[in-house]
Amino acid sequence: MLDYFTKGLKKTTDAMQNVAPKKKIKLSKDEIEDILLEADVEYALIEIIERELYQDEVTREQLRSKLLMTLAYAHYKEPEYSAPFVDLVVGVNGAGKTTTIAKLAKRYLDQGDRVLLGAADTFRAAAIEQLTRWAEKLDVPIVSSRQGHDPSAVAYDAIESAKAKGFEHVIIDTAGRLHNQKNLANELKKIVRICDKAHGGAPHRKLLILDGTQGNSAIAQAKAFHEIINIDGIIITKLDGTAKGGSVFSIAYALELPILYVGVGEQPEHLVPFNKYAFVDSFLDAIFEDEEIKVEVSEKIAAKIVNILALRDEERKELYRLINSDGFDVLSKHFVRDQRNWNEYKYVANEELQQFQILERNGDILHAYDAALLVKES
């Protein structure tokens, strides 16, 4: 997953490196401000981050904790529901709404679920045609109508059809409305009411699609949509096509809404679940250098050296293998998740003890791995 975010942020990190061409172990606040501005982090948020940084020279971990703070609302809890699960997708034209619907449908299909699409964007004939082509390509059914037909009726029929056929998911497209068009806003509220009439609790998730290339200018638009129908989550598209990846921090902080997925490419698999730890790590990899320290390991492998803060690829693979064998998935360079209960834990490099440690929330050591274990004898 880290690779997806690294590739998706390539244009952003390239821009960051224009103002900070050399990686450092510590950065001044002025340097951090220039870097974040270049990445299109909103200035008001930069000021908040700087106020929370009490050091003149800032380390990776210190900045990392503040950036993660801006993503504090990233957690999403799926509501209780009876099938089908209904996604209602909203956003302005050009944000990548229809393509994202297709990618989301592909994710559901890959899980073994059955999906039905609802073409409730009856405002434009082209929108109906585009979604119909995607339905044909994915080999999924679609409920549609002619241009100008009542979109609420299409949403109702789509849900009823999915219920009758025992489908697990319905994804409903809506008109590429502008947030300041009052008649379209009222229409959107009506669609939400009719969905609930067709299937209690629907739509179970109201998704707003935001064009990543718009950067911070999307915040006002998103706030307006949220006021209309209470958005449940955001999908940011075209992240790989913009140098404004830092706006993700501003959007999440301003809206206090979870970012569920980001689009980092054209292929269906390039709609990836948003992982705040992997995202922040990919962001910081472009500007921070790992501290270099050479540490001798046990006498058995005295000729070998493990740089605990800058592992070689083969050493990192061995560490991940050991962690996985104990029932944990590695989420990023600093966090793991228990495969049994999905609890997340921090893992750190302890230089003094030459160990990698998975820590409980209270700081107790849950698991420890000696650095010496990562080097195989010749």
Side-chain angles (χ1 to χ4, degrees), residues 41 45 48-49 64-74 248-254 256-257 280:
V41 180
L45 180 57
I48 293 172
I49 292 171
R64 185 177 188 273
S65 67
K66 305 311 174 189
L67 293 178
L68 285 173
M69 172 197 70
T70 71
L71 303 172
Y73 299 93
V248 169
F249 298 111
S250 308
I251 292 168
Y253 187 77
E256 299 184 358
L257 286 171
V280 171

Side-chain angles (χ1 to χ4, degrees), residues 119-122 148-156 172-175 177 187 191:
D121 181 357
T122 59
H149 191 62
D150 183 2
S152 299
V154 175
Y156 185 91
I172 299 174
D173 189 15
T174 61
R177 65 201 72 244
E187 177 189 281
I191 293 173

Side-chain angles (χ1 to χ4, degrees), residues 83-85 112-118 139-144 156-170 198-199:
F85 186 88
D113 292 341
R114 291 167 296 176
V115 186
L116 183 143
L117 305 183
D139 193 24
V140 298
I142 182 171
V143 172
S144 62
Y156 185 91
D157 291 345
I159 295 172
E160 284 293 316
S161 178
K163 287 168 64 178
K165 297 174 182 177
F167 277 41
E168 287 81 15
H169 289 276
V170 179
H199 187 45

